[in-house]
Amino acid sequence: MKLIVAVIKPFKLDDVREALHDIDVHGMTVTEAKGFGRQKGHTEIYRGAEYAIEFLPKVRLEIAVADDKVDSAIDAIGNAARTGKIGDGKVFVMPLEQAVRIRTEETGDVAL
């Protein structure tokens, strides 16, 4: 099993959720986040004053998947979240040692 952590633009969340649903990956944890990468924020003008926005709004997704679905999940996230502009996000994949469904006490891939 693997834990996929993706950081994407907030307005792409529904597209990513639908793309994962289409490949039969269900369940994710979504957290609102702020951050920056190469784009290093931007400036905005509000009521005539210029403000530096250093941390941009992002969404962090955490998705546990079976080993055989990792590549298709990464492709689905990338294709759905891609705008072609700077700040589209990142996908990280980490090993996941164990998963337990609390209600039924199922473990491993079955618990996902």
Side-chain angles (χ1 to χ4, degrees):
M1 294 177 295
K2 303 287 187 212
L3 179 65
I4 298 175
V5 176
V7 180
I8 62 171
K9 292 181 175 184
F11 70 91
K12 293 304 241 171
L13 178 59
D14 285 335
D15 295 340
V16 170
R17 186 191 56 78
E18 289 174 15
L20 289 170
H21 180 74
D22 290 345
I23 62 166
D24 212 24
V25 171
H26 305 285
M28 71 173 70
T29 300
V30 179
T31 308
E32 290 183 13
K34 290 186 177 216
F36 69 93
R38 291 186 177 164
Q39 81 265 31
K40 300 176 184 143
H42 65 276
T43 58
E44 288 184 2
I45 297 177
Y46 179 71
R47 294 189 176 182
E50 189 171 322
Y51 295 93
I53 308 296
E54 295 177 359
F55 292 97
L56 301 174
K58 301 289 181 183
V59 174
R60 175 186 165 116
L61 310 175
E62 296 176 46
I63 308 142
V65 297
D67 287 328
D68 61 336
K69 293 195 174 190
V70 172
D71 291 333
S72 59
I74 293 169
D75 290 342
I77 293 166
N79 291 334
R82 184 174 300 114
T83 65
K85 297 182 177 153
I86 196 163
D88 277 348
K90 296 262 192 311
V91 177
F92 307 99
V93 180
M94 294 164 262
L96 182 60
E97 290 186 27
Q98 184 66 283
V100 179
R101 179 175 285 138
I102 295 172
R103 178 178 52 89
T104 61
E105 297 181 351
E106 295 168 306
T107 61
D109 288 353
V110 178
L112 300 179

